[in-house]
């Protein structure tokens, strides 16, 4: 049980870090006004979202929803 507690705490911190980093990257992409900069950031953010979905940190549908919203934002610039 103690080992399980240690493992789950380590995983919780890693998940929190990855989720927060992805959210910050998304915020940075949303605040970007230049299309060139946004097109450079977009693949990196999509990759981060895919990794979160793969590791069940966020639901796959939520990842898809966020990606489509970001794609619309980049296209509208």
């Amino acid at each position: 049980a103690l080992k399980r507690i240690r493992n789950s705490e380590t995983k919780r911190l890693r998940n929190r870090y990855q989720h927060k980093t992805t959210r910050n990257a998304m915020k940075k992409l949303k605040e970007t006004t230049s299309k060139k900069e946004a097109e450079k950031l977009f693949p990196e953010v999509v990759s981060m979202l895919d990794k979160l979905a793969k590791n069940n940190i966020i639901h796959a549908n939520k990842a898809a929803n966020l990606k489509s919203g970001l794609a619309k934002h980049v296209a509208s610039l």
Side-chain angles (χ1 to χ4, degrees), residues 35-76:
K35 190 167 176 79
K36 195 175 225 179
E37 184 73 23
E39 284 176 340
K40 197 177 82 175
L41 279 173
F42 184 65
E44 296 169 15
V45 176
V46 166
S47 170
M48 291 168 121
L49 285 167
D50 287 336
K51 282 178 190 160
L52 290 182
K54 188 180 92 178
N55 296 328
N56 286 322
I57 297 169
I58 60 172
H59 197 276
N61 290 356
K62 180 176 175 71
N65 192 1
L66 291 170
K67 286 193 291 187
S68 76
L70 291 171
K72 276 183 186 173
H73 173 71
V74 171
S76 72

